[in-house]
Amino acid sequence: IFFSAIWFVAPNPFTSISYLLGALLGTAYCYGLGKYVETLGGSAYDMEDVKGSGVGSARFAFLIVLFIFVGKFRSEGLQEIPAIMGFFTYQLSSLSQ
């Protein structure tokens, strides 16, 4: 919804594309954060509960990939602020729960 609203309002199409890139990586970060939270409180004896916790450990990689990708394609038109705003859009759903 936010992507289409930004697409119509922003004069530069790369603003909405940057936002979409940040939102996609923010969704992946939220997934990794969920996997990490599931493993909290478990012990080493609960091997089935700890399964999949490797994704949670690498959750910051999504933010690093966002900064690298935007930095690399800045000359093509990607923008930093909309990408960061898109990344932190996942917090709106967290606050609404």
Side-chain angles (χ1 to χ4, degrees):
I1 295 174
F2 290 120
F3 171 73
S4 32
I6 293 172
W7 184 268
F8 287 116
V9 173
N12 187 356
F14 285 106
T15 303
S16 57
I17 292 171
S18 300
Y19 181 85
L20 180 65
L21 174 68
L24 290 174
L25 287 173
T27 303
Y29 173 81
C30 190
Y31 174 76
L33 184 63
K35 286 291 187 182
Y36 173 72
V37 169
E38 284 179 0
T39 62
L40 289 178
S43 66
Y45 300 113
D46 301 330
M47 291 305 289
E48 294 188 13
D49 292 338
V50 180
K51 190 175 184 178
S53 64
V55 175
S57 303
R59 67 187 185 275
F60 292 113
F62 297 115
L63 183 61
I64 294 168
V65 166
L66 176 69
F67 285 129
I68 291 172
F69 197 79
V70 169
K72 183 173 176 101
F73 293 105
R74 184 183 307 154
S75 62
E76 305 297 325
L78 287 182
Q79 301 171 354
E80 298 88 4
I81 301 299
I84 293 170
M85 288 174 56
F87 183 83
F88 288 113
T89 302
Y90 78 92
Q91 289 187 349
L92 292 175
S93 62
S94 299
L95 291 174
S96 67
Q97 290 183 352

